Amino acid sequence: MKDLFRQLGESPKTKQKEQFNTFSNYANGKFQNITTTPALREGESMLKVLWEFFKKHPETEPKFPIPSVRTDLKAISKNDEVLVWFGHSSYFFQTHGKTFLVDPVFSGNASPIPGSVKAFKGADDYNAEDMPDIDFLLISHDHWDHLDYHTIQKLQTKVSTVICGMGVKQHFEYWGWDRNTIHEKNWYESVNLENGFSITLTPARHFSGRLFTRNISLWTSFVLETPSQKLFLGGDSGYGPHFDEIGAQFGPFDLAILECRQYNEKWPYIHSLPEEIITETKALKAQFILPVHHSKFKLAQHPWYEPLQRITELAEKENYPVITPKIGEKVILDQLSTVWEKWWEQLL
């Protein structure tokens, strides 16, 4: 029980809240989306949604293990330009010798309750011990499926710098991390990573919270500029005008990594529908799409493979290249035009 409460993290202190009160996206003790963002569509109730969630729905989980490729991340050459996705929203990439890890969840479930929201079979083959030294750990927000206490604690000795939204730093400090290694920023604030690198926090349309209190910390997307490319790391987000703003200010992008699963018409504002992913990609002026937030956890009622199937079909009609690696399969960042296998179709 003590460990469970520790996993909850800690709320921002009074001094931090005083700073937050000076922000245009903070009001009444909470961070705010750019546009009005109810958790549910008008006419829906949380009780109805929960009842629907626990009902049995066909094909929400795969019948067979999710296929994966075993890549020795510690053996990757410092000269390699590579990205490796671990299922859901967790991925590692290395570019120009710098290593990044985004929203790692390696504990086998996306909930503080053991045995609940378990990873699909085959989707949990990587763990914190497999990670090399990480220059920059990026956390998009503090939901359990993006900020995993057990994973974070195992990574502590491997990570040099953490970059996150305002208020998330307090969790790390509470868990014993050195506050000087953590950079928390507001939207449109940047961290200069030197040697031709910079990262800017940009808006997302979502929410935050690890139990009952919502939005006391910030959710975010990231714009990463490297010496040779520009990447958009989307985090969790519903569709909104912020994609046009980000595209206008920072685009075009070589690659947009966008969440594509866990959607539902009952909550259309906090997770994008597949059709909206294409619209977002156009707004960002992105050359390639890498869909994430799928193939590891059941957090919605649609078939597990539906997001990948719908997005690839829609993208083909629009002539947009979609990157669909297996878990653990290398994506070569300077060779993004590779033709990718529709691996999920083999499991149907």
Side-chain angles (χ1 to χ4, degrees):
M1 184 62 70
K2 183 179 179 181
D3 183 62
L4 173 60
F5 282 110
R6 186 163 180 78
Q7 290 182 60
L8 294 175
E10 191 173 60
S11 301
K13 304 289 189 181
T14 301
K15 188 174 181 180
Q16 287 176 290
K17 293 178 183 177
E18 291 174 356
Q19 180 190 14
F20 299 166
N21 275 319
T22 66
F23 300 154
S24 61
N25 59 340
Y26 189 85
N28 303 315
K30 295 183 178 182
F31 285 95
Q32 310 290 321
N33 281 294
I34 291 175
T35 54
T36 301
T37 305
L40 299 173
R41 189 179 62 189
E42 185 178 352
E44 300 292 343
S45 71
M46 187 57 68
L47 185 61
K48 286 167 60 179
V49 168
L50 289 173
W51 173 256
E52 184 73 12
F53 182 81
F54 288 109
K55 286 171 62 178
K56 185 69 174 177
H57 293 269
E59 301 185 290
T60 53
E61 299 185 25
K63 297 176 183 177
F64 306 102
I66 297 289
S68 64
V69 174
R70 193 67 194 174
T71 295
D72 186 350
L73 301 170
K74 296 176 182 177
I76 292 175
S77 167
K78 278 293 183 183
N79 296 319
D80 287 352
E81 299 285 307
V82 63
L83 181 149
V84 177
W85 169 69
F86 306 114
H88 203 62
S89 293
S90 306
Y91 51 96
F92 162 90
F93 61 97
Q94 176 182 277
T95 178
H96 294 271
K98 292 191 182 294
T99 54
F100 297 78
L101 184 61
V102 181
D103 289 355
V105 177
F106 300 132
S107 66
N109 64 293
S111 163
I113 303 171
S116 65
V117 196
K118 294 173 64 176
F120 299 153
K121 289 182 180 179
D124 204 35
D125 287 346
Y126 284 86
N127 56 50
E129 288 75 17
D130 295 321
M131 299 301 111
D133 289 339
I134 302 297
D135 294 316
F136 302 101
L137 172 64
L138 309 183
I139 301 296
S140 65
H141 62 300
D142 69 1
H143 282 160
W144 299 94
D145 59 323
H146 293 260
L147 178 61
D148 179 61
Y149 167 76
H150 295 292
T151 301
I152 292 300
Q153 293 304 78
K154 290 179 180 179
L155 288 171
Q156 188 170 2
T157 59
K158 295 176 179 281
V159 173
S160 297
T161 301
V162 179
I163 300 175
C164 58
M166 286 290 183
V168 177
K169 180 178 181 178
Q170 191 58 42
H171 296 313
F172 281 86
E173 288 191 38
Y174 177 66
W175 294 334
W177 285 59
D178 181 355
R179 69 188 317 272
N180 295 315
T181 66
I182 307 161
H183 297 271
E184 64 172 1
K185 297 291 182 181
N186 198 4
W187 292 335
Y188 295 113
E189 293 184 338
S190 301
V191 180
N192 183 0
L193 310 184
E194 300 180 348
N195 300 320
F197 285 83
S198 70
I199 190 161
T200 302
L201 278 68
T202 44
R205 191 182 187 192
H206 200 55
F207 66 105
S208 65
R210 293 182 71 76
L211 197 59
F212 301 117
T213 305
R214 288 188 169 190
N215 300 347
I216 59 175
S217 64
L218 185 65
W219 51 99
T220 191
S221 57
F222 301 94
V223 170
L224 174 64
E225 298 187 57
T226 80
S228 61
Q229 290 182 313
K230 194 177 291 186
L231 311 179
F232 179 72
L233 318 179
D236 277 6
S237 181
Y239 176 69
H242 59 285
F243 286 103
D244 293 286
E245 296 171 9
I246 294 167
Q249 184 168 342
F250 298 99
F253 291 94
D254 296 281
L255 173 65
I257 303 175
L258 298 169
E259 62 97 0
C260 75
R261 194 174 187 260
Q262 323 306 347
Y263 53 79
N264 192 299
E265 292 182 357
K266 298 179 187 298
W267 60 81
Y269 311 112
I270 55 175
H271 285 290
S272 300
L273 299 174
E275 293 81 2
E276 293 171 327
I277 300 295
I278 304 301
T279 305
E280 292 165 5
T281 304
K282 291 178 179 179
L284 292 166
K285 305 170 189 174
Q287 187 175 359
F288 292 89
I289 315 166
L290 172 59
V292 297
H293 211 246
H294 62 83
S295 302
K296 189 167 185 174
F297 301 115
K298 173 188 176 290
L299 298 173
Q301 290 79 40
H302 54 67
W304 72 271
Y305 56 84
E306 182 183 270
L308 285 170
Q309 195 70 34
R310 290 176 65 184
I311 286 171
T312 52
E313 289 173 356
L314 290 164
E316 285 169 2
K317 291 178 182 178
E318 298 280 352
N319 292 317
Y320 263 113
V322 181
I323 298 169
T324 56
K326 298 183 183 76
I327 289 174
E329 187 174 8
K330 287 184 180 180
V331 176
I332 307 304
L333 288 171
D334 51 5
Q335 298 175 24
L336 292 175
S337 57
T338 300
V339 177
W340 295 92
E341 176 188 3
K342 294 182 180 180
W343 57 264
W344 58 93
E345 293 183 346
Q346 301 172 12
L347 278 66
L348 305 184

